[in-house]
Amino acid sequence: MAKNKYSSTVLLPKTDFPMRAGLAQKEPKILDFWKEMDLYNAILKKNEAGKHFVLHDGPPYANGQIHIGHALDKTIKDIILKSRALMGFYTPYVPGWDCHGLPIEQALMKELKIDKKHVTDVPAFRQKARAFAAKFIDLQRQGFKRLGVQGEWDNPYLTMNKRYEGITIGVFLDLIEKGYVYKGQKTITWCSHCETALADAETEYKDIESSSIYLRFQVVNPTKEVFGDLDFSKPVSFGVWTTTPWTIPSNMAAAVNKDEDYAVLQDDTTQEYYVVADKLAEEFLKNTGVHAHKVHAVRGENLVGQKYFHPLTQKQNPVIWTDFVTMDAGVGIVHIAPGHGEDDFRAGKQWGLETFCPVDEKGCYTKDAGVFEGMHVFEANPLMVKKLDELGALIKEQTITHSYPHCWRCHHPIIFRATEQWFMSIDKDGLREKLMNNLDQVRFFPATGRERMRSMIGLRPDWCLSRQRFWGTPVTILYCKKCGKPQQDHRLFEFIKQRAMNEGSDFWFTDPVEKLMPEGCHCPCGCHEFRKETDILDVWLDSGVSWAAVLKDRGLDFPADVYSEGSDQHRGWFQSSYIPAYTLEGSAPFKTILTHGMVLDQQGRPMHKSLGNSVDPQDVINKYGADILRLWVAFSDYQGDVRISDEILGGPVDTYRKLRNTIRYALGNLSDFEPQKHAVPAEKLAEMDRYMLGRLDTLITEVRGAYKEFNFRRAMRAVADFCILDLSSFLLDASKDRLYTLGASSPARRSAQTALAEMVRSLLQLLAPVLCFTAEEAWQELLKIPAGQGLSKSIFLSDMPQHASLKADPALEEKWNQIRRIREEVQKALENTRQQGVIGSSLEAKVTLKTNDANMQQFLADNAALWPEIFIVSAVEVAAGNAALEVAVAHAEGQKCARCWQWKTEVGQPGRAHSDLCDRCAAVLEREGLSVPQETPVA
């Protein structure tokens, strides 16, 4: 086989940008390059005069390696910030960590093999917790940096830092002084496993099986006036239904709906009477198996004030009415235990009921529960049912599956328990209504987030701020030893604030009470002796005051432009930030809330170790590279739940490969292009190149708009379509002939290169927020060739274009869209002819375009010179036909040119200098002064 002697005269692509990405190996080197140039601060310096854009980071817990949810969250934030920075915005980004709280405390106890009761040296335990959190901060920081995330990694905010703790304490004490924080007894969610109060945002719902019981609450002295003409020698009982038998000892009342009718049913067997809601009577009989008939009806309001015997104690309790008794389940009469339910507690306050709670912090009954003392409430359930049955109170027991709240830390079922805690009032001075109304001033992505958050604020209870743990910011309150009142003196608060700002919070646990107050401090009752609070603050307040400890304290913009987290934070961090900020500053701490969903496996299941379906982001990075993970994020409809697996990642991998090859091919065709010498003025560009620059302008507008709206999917789909359909499949394909064969100085070739150079630069800048490593790699290759002269040292120190050099021309757009439609028809005909064996390469073809349409005939004739290049064939004819467009394909006449491979009739004709070339190629050799070596054999 002989080497083609003309190969050296053909201008094939040349580039060091490889086809194989090898991202896992290259990306760490790019990170080193960014670190060496201090890219984050270089970007800030470049944009220091630009408009500020602050995305405030919600802090992850510092208690483990990063997981795929972290990768989703941080990548979304980084794409937002990189896109804004490339648009010229000043984009400071301070990453943070939530360092206090139960997850770290429990993980440390597990490591130390101890439980809460074994912690006797609290300051020493806190120091170990601090070191434990610091260890995972470093691990997570490296994981986030490996994703390509830029930020103040050397100066993040940590909720355990001294100044941060000081600001947290300051906010807490300010809220007390403004009257929004109080200490009181309420029924709250309580985790008996973690032995602490829980915030509303710290619960999750799961289905469990429970014992469901129907009980008799026997009426005390029933009368004819209320219950009708009954045989009062037989018992009259209120039917009551509950799924928490363990709460029966705390029963203080039975509640009805005063506006509903209640049926009096007589048991056909025992002749006793049951009172249940008329609408639920049939359901009651069906579920209990009782055979009974209706003998009377009574309005709910007429039952209010009646008394019944407590089934365990025989104490007489009242019937009350409440607005939460509904007719959708049960029997329409609700067992009220103010010590074990939020609604029950409120009803108890309204009706003056005792808040009785014979359950301790471990979830075990106290001595007030009598024979059940020492038993855990859940373990006591079957014994409680048995006891009620023995006493004749049980009508029926069933097992049901229903949704029940669990602790989101340990995942154990929780209880409701009345305790004394520190609370923030959500209703003082109409705060709840103000918070709900002010959400109209905030943008939400997706828009449904506004009503979701508004509804959650409308339904939430007062915020329980205190926790019964060790590792956290202390509740810095002193109590008078004599009268027991919490001290709320302004001078005392200022003293504590100043110490906390200077020292952090550890002094509260190490210093004696005498050092925690200014001299001369005394209670209004005259006592000078105090004890200190031992509880800590809810970690949601810790992270929630980051607007004060980061945005305001570091001199960043307040409110921030964006808060972005998972959609579960509508009831978590978004609220814990919003409530104190609005209360103290009169403003939300954010202008925009952006949320993403959770990451699920390919089958749509949550990821759990027990299922073995977790995806480690580091494994993805090691296999594919961080850019593939980033592209997966960008292509995901992340505002809902997203899925990941090797199969799903195959889509981004395939798209990435096409994008990379398009960039490589484009770079290769610019190897000899020097813009200062070779750039073609806009008015002299080939029409196809002007059309493509117009398409680029449309693309730039679309992509910038998509980034501004956080729609990365639309942005990347648009860029990918442009690269694959417009650039690779059309422009580069159709321009091969002029790029390869017309000679270096050809105006047509230089026109293509002029357009191509602009498109490559712009595409890399449009891709850079997502494919940050690949864009940088390609940018560095561009800097090595003349086409990259004058470009910034890093792509992230450049500016994303606002427009292309030419704007879209609607007439030109329509013309070339028609050309491309015709090209598609020709390509189909070429493929059919190739399948028939008539031709091999499309350059072997001669195409005849036939039409019976005068306008089409004129269009085909006007563009006759374009068709061979556009179709990549050797000859094109236009002829009359019987349809709007017919395409006929035959083998081209003549012989194959040894240089351009087109088939021409002049090739092989005797008496020509280069008889094996077409006239055009022969002219190129002469014009360019290209010498042709003799053919040499190739091994």
Side-chain angles (χ1 to χ4, degrees):
M1 177 181 176
K3 181 180 179 182
N4 188 323
K5 65 181 179 180
Y6 297 108
S7 59
S8 63
T9 71
V10 177
L11 300 169
L12 295 174
K14 291 186 210 173
T15 181
D16 292 330
F17 188 72
M19 183 182 297
R20 291 183 64 83
L23 291 174
Q25 293 74 40
K26 284 178 185 169
E27 288 172 347
K29 296 176 182 178
I30 294 172
L31 287 173
D32 290 340
F33 169 68
W34 288 339
K35 181 179 179 181
E36 184 180 344
M37 67 181 296
D38 191 10
L39 179 61
Y40 170 72
N41 284 308
I43 292 171
L44 292 183
K45 184 170 179 59
K46 175 185 83 79
N47 293 334
E48 60 187 351
K51 185 178 178 182
H52 288 207
F53 180 89
V54 176
L55 185 153
H56 183 43
D57 189 36
Y61 279 111
N63 67 331
Q65 299 275 10
I66 70 167
H67 53 66
I68 196 66
H70 287 135
L72 173 70
D73 178 72
K74 280 293 192 286
T75 300
I76 288 171
K77 293 171 182 175
D78 192 58
I79 293 172
I80 293 170
L81 289 165
K82 279 187 167 70
S83 62
R84 290 303 197 283
L86 282 162
M87 293 182 203
F89 286 85
Y90 182 77
T91 53
Y93 174 60
V94 183
W97 275 274
D98 208 342
C99 309
H100 291 141
L102 200 54
I104 292 167
E105 191 171 310
Q106 284 184 327
L108 178 59
M109 285 182 175
K110 184 177 180 181
E111 186 176 281
L112 298 175
K113 298 180 180 178
I114 61 173
D115 60 23
K116 186 179 178 184
K117 66 185 178 185
H118 293 114
V119 179
T120 54
D121 187 342
V122 174
F125 179 81
R126 285 172 57 85
Q127 287 306 311
K128 289 177 182 177
R130 187 179 297 279
F132 185 90
K135 175 178 68 175
F136 283 106
I137 288 168
D138 287 337
L139 283 173
Q140 291 188 4
R141 174 165 31 209
Q142 293 310 311
F144 295 143
K145 289 167 75 172
R146 181 61 186 87
L147 289 167
V149 180
Q150 295 292 317
E152 288 193 31
W153 293 115
D154 295 331
N155 187 28
Y157 78 87
L158 310 177
T159 60
M160 67 180 182
N161 278 355
K162 292 178 180 179
R163 188 169 181 85
Y164 194 106
E165 289 182 336
I167 292 171
T168 303
I169 288 170
V171 168
F172 172 65
L173 297 180
D174 286 346
L175 289 169
I176 292 178
E177 289 203 276
K178 283 185 171 284
Y180 286 92
V181 170
Y182 64 94
K183 187 165 191 181
Q185 186 187 50
K186 278 182 179 291
T187 299
I188 59 169
T189 49
W190 183 276
C191 179
S192 60
H193 183 264
C194 300
E195 297 181 36
T196 188
L198 298 176
D200 185 49
E202 294 173 321
T203 59
E204 59 186 10
Y205 281 79
K206 298 179 185 178
D207 284 347
I208 62 168
E209 283 192 348
S210 291
S211 179
S212 158
I213 59 174
Y214 290 86
L215 296 176
R216 300 175 178 87
F217 280 10
Q218 187 174 341
V219 180
V220 177
N221 298 325
T223 63
K224 178 179 179 180
E225 288 75 19
V226 174
F227 296 99
D229 191 9
L230 309 181
D231 177 0
F232 290 113
S233 67
K234 305 296 182 184
V236 179
S237 301
F238 294 113
V240 174
W241 175 74
T242 181
T243 59
T244 54
W246 63 268
T247 62
I248 293 299
S250 301
N251 174 264
M252 291 292 146
V256 297
N257 185 319
K258 65 181 178 65
D259 298 320
E260 294 286 346
D261 289 328
Y262 285 78
V264 180
L265 307 174
Q266 185 170 26
D267 191 310
D268 295 338
T269 303
T270 66
Q271 305 302 308
E272 65 182 301
Y273 300 95
Y274 302 106
V275 180
V276 297
D278 195 45
K279 291 177 181 176
L280 294 167
E282 186 176 336
E283 191 74 12
F284 166 74
L285 296 176
K286 175 184 173 184
N287 289 338
T288 61
V290 170
H291 295 283
H293 59 281
K294 183 177 176 180
V295 296
H296 187 66
V298 57
R299 196 70 172 164
E301 61 185 343
N302 294 327
L303 294 174
V304 176
Q306 294 294 306
K307 295 289 184 74
Y308 64 91
F309 295 107
H310 190 292
L312 293 175
T313 67
Q314 294 303 299
K315 175 187 172 186
Q316 294 184 18
N317 286 344
V319 175
I320 63 173
W321 70 266
T322 73
D323 56 6
F324 57 81
V325 177
T326 61
M327 299 295 119
D328 54 359
V331 295
I333 302 177
V334 175
H335 138 62
I336 300 296
H340 296 300
E342 292 179 28
D343 289 337
D344 298 32
F345 179 83
R346 285 194 290 271
K349 287 293 183 185
Q350 180 181 349
W351 289 89
L353 305 176
E354 178 188 356
T355 303
F356 180 59
C357 179
V359 178
D360 66 16
E361 67 275 5
K362 295 181 182 293
C364 296
Y365 286 115
T366 66
K367 63 181 180 180
D368 293 328
V371 296
F372 300 103
E373 180 183 359
M375 295 182 190
H376 191 279
V377 293
F378 294 145
E379 294 172 358
N381 256 339
L383 297 176
M384 185 68 67
V385 175
K386 182 181 179 183
K387 183 69 173 178
L388 290 166
D389 191 23
E390 291 172 354
L391 294 172
L394 183 68
I395 302 172
K396 179 73 175 180
E397 179 187 15
Q398 295 176 320
T399 299
I400 65 166
T401 299
H402 66 127
S403 183
Y404 190 83
H406 289 63
C407 172
W408 80 333
R409 305 286 185 234
C410 67
H411 307 296
H412 285 75
I414 64 171
I415 61 175
F416 288 86
R417 177 172 176 259
T419 64
E420 271 210 337
Q421 303 286 343
W422 285 92
F423 295 93
M424 179 173 178
S425 172
I426 306 300
D427 290 304
K428 177 179 166 57
D429 298 334
L431 178 59
R432 187 188 304 271
E433 197 69 24
K434 292 174 184 176
L435 289 167
M436 293 167 67
N437 292 337
N438 188 66
L439 288 179
D440 290 333
Q441 308 305 312
V442 179
R443 295 180 76 203
F444 281 82
F445 292 86
T448 52
R450 176 180 290 106
E451 289 312 311
R452 174 179 164 87
M453 189 165 165
R454 199 195 313 268
S455 173
M456 288 175 172
I457 291 172
L459 294 172
R460 69 163 295 145
D462 282 356
W463 182 359
C464 180
L465 294 175
S466 46
R467 295 291 183 274
Q468 291 66 51
R469 304 301 300 193
F470 306 116
W471 177 229
T473 305
V475 175
T476 50
I477 295 294
L478 297 176
Y479 299 92
C480 175
K481 280 191 173 182
K482 181 180 178 182
C483 68
K485 289 184 178 178
Q487 303 302 295
Q488 299 183 21
D489 177 71
H490 177 73
R491 190 167 72 97
L492 172 62
F493 279 6
E494 288 303 308
F495 178 86
I496 293 171
K497 284 185 200 176
Q498 193 58 52
R499 282 205 67 181
M501 288 295 286
N502 294 335
E503 305 172 43
S505 68
D506 283 345
F507 74 91
W508 191 260
F509 299 92
T510 58
D511 287 5
V513 172
E514 295 74 30
K515 290 189 176 181
L516 303 180
M517 65 185 94
E519 289 186 14
C521 196
H522 61 85
C523 178
C525 77
C527 181
H528 291 76
E529 293 187 333
F530 303 94
R531 64 176 178 86
K532 57 185 173 182
E533 175 66 80
T534 57
D535 286 354
I536 62 169
L537 289 169
D538 177 15
V539 292
W540 287 106
L541 184 64
D542 268 15
S543 59
V545 303
S546 58
W547 56 268
V550 182
L551 297 179
K552 293 180 78 69
D553 195 54
R554 295 201 185 197
L556 302 177
D557 291 7
F558 176 88
D561 291 278
V562 174
Y563 272 40
S564 174
E565 292 298 325
S567 56
D568 56 332
Q569 298 309 317
H570 283 124
R571 69 179 187 132
W573 186 58
F574 297 148
Q575 280 197 49
S576 71
S577 300
Y578 181 38
I579 293 169
Y582 187 85
T583 305
L584 296 178
E585 301 290 332
S587 167
F590 35 67
K591 298 175 185 176
T592 297
I593 284 180
L594 171 73
T595 56
H596 58 78
M598 303 297 108
V599 184
L600 311 175
D601 69 8
Q602 188 167 352
Q603 285 74 44
R605 299 173 302 173
M607 292 189 178
H608 292 298
K609 288 182 181 178
S610 59
L611 292 175
N613 63 345
S614 296
V615 175
D616 187 333
Q618 192 59 53
D619 290 343
V620 176
I621 291 170
N622 290 340
K623 184 174 182 179
Y624 300 110
D627 263 359
I628 298 301
L629 200 54
R630 294 174 68 94
L631 190 57
W632 163 75
V633 171
F635 274 140
S636 299
D637 184 7
Y638 66 84
Q639 292 183 357
D641 290 340
V642 298
R643 302 185 182 192
I644 190 170
S645 67
D646 272 338
E647 186 177 335
I648 289 169
L649 286 169
V653 167
D654 184 58
T655 300
Y656 175 84
R657 189 178 296 117
K658 292 174 181 176
L659 289 170
R660 185 177 183 91
N661 286 342
T662 301
I663 293 167
R664 179 175 183 269
Y665 188 76
L667 286 171
N669 280 291
L670 295 173
S671 60
D672 68 335
F673 180 67
E674 298 182 43
Q676 291 181 340
K677 292 182 182 178
H678 303 140
V680 176
E683 66 275 9
K684 293 185 179 180
L685 286 172
E687 193 174 87
M688 179 161 55
D689 299 329
R690 286 191 280 118
Y691 160 72
M692 285 298 295
L693 288 175
R695 296 279 293 170
L696 177 66
D697 185 68
T698 301
L699 174 72
I700 290 169
T701 300
E702 181 177 1
V703 173
R704 287 177 65 99
Y707 277 134
K708 288 178 180 177
E709 295 295 306
F710 315 114
N711 194 333
F712 315 141
R713 191 181 195 180
R714 195 177 86 213
M716 291 308 295
R717 189 73 270 160
V719 175
D721 286 348
F722 184 88
C723 283
I724 297 166
L725 302 177
D726 289 301
L727 192 52
S728 180
S729 297
F730 177 60
L731 178 68
L732 293 175
D733 196 35
S735 298
K736 284 178 181 175
D737 187 56
R738 58 176 170 152
L739 286 168
Y740 293 0
T741 69
L742 294 189
S745 63
S746 162
R749 182 169 184 272
R750 294 306 188 195
S751 173
Q753 288 181 311
T754 301
L756 203 52
E758 181 177 347
M759 282 187 270
V760 168
R761 287 194 307 272
S762 298
L763 286 171
L764 291 179
Q765 289 164 324
L766 296 176
L767 285 168
V770 176
L771 298 179
C772 59
F773 292 103
T774 301
E776 187 69 88
E777 180 192 358
W779 191 263
Q780 295 307 313
E781 289 301 323
L782 192 54
L783 284 170
K784 293 177 184 177
I785 60 177
Q789 287 177 359
L791 296 182
S792 58
K793 184 178 179 182
S794 165
I795 190 168
F796 294 105
L797 299 180
S798 69
D799 291 315
M800 187 184 290
Q802 296 187 41
H803 294 285
S805 58
L806 289 177
K807 295 208 170 179
D809 179 337
L812 192 64
E813 183 102 2
E814 177 51 39
K815 173 183 175 179
W816 278 86
N817 287 343
Q818 173 75 333
I819 288 172
R820 291 178 70 173
R821 287 192 290 269
I822 294 171
R823 183 176 188 261
E824 287 178 12
E825 294 302 313
V826 171
Q827 286 178 322
K828 292 177 188 175
L830 287 169
E831 183 56 33
N832 289 336
T833 309
R834 185 181 291 111
Q835 294 292 329
Q836 296 166 12
V838 177
I839 62 171
S841 162
S842 65
L843 286 172
E844 295 178 20
K846 171 187 175 182
V847 171
T848 302
L849 301 174
K850 302 177 182 180
T851 181
N852 64 359
D853 182 275
N855 291 330
M856 177 62 79
Q857 175 81 25
Q858 188 64 49
F859 185 81
L860 296 175
D862 288 346
N863 296 289
L866 289 173
W867 300 129
E869 178 186 11
I870 296 298
F871 301 156
I872 318 175
V873 297
S874 290
V876 178
E877 289 183 353
V878 178
N882 299 315
L885 181 66
E886 297 174 84
V887 181
V889 178
H891 199 290
E893 300 169 358
Q895 297 182 35
K896 178 180 176 181
C897 172
R899 183 170 178 274
C900 70
W901 296 2
Q902 292 190 29
W903 288 65
K904 298 295 181 182
T905 55
E906 69 268 20
V907 177
Q909 295 296 321
R912 299 172 66 246
H914 298 285
S915 61
D916 55 349
L917 298 184
C918 66
D919 289 344
R920 189 189 65 173
C921 282
V924 169
L925 294 186
E926 184 176 345
R927 185 183 73 242
E928 299 288 330
L930 299 172
S931 59
V932 180
Q934 294 300 310
E935 293 184 1
T936 56
V938 176

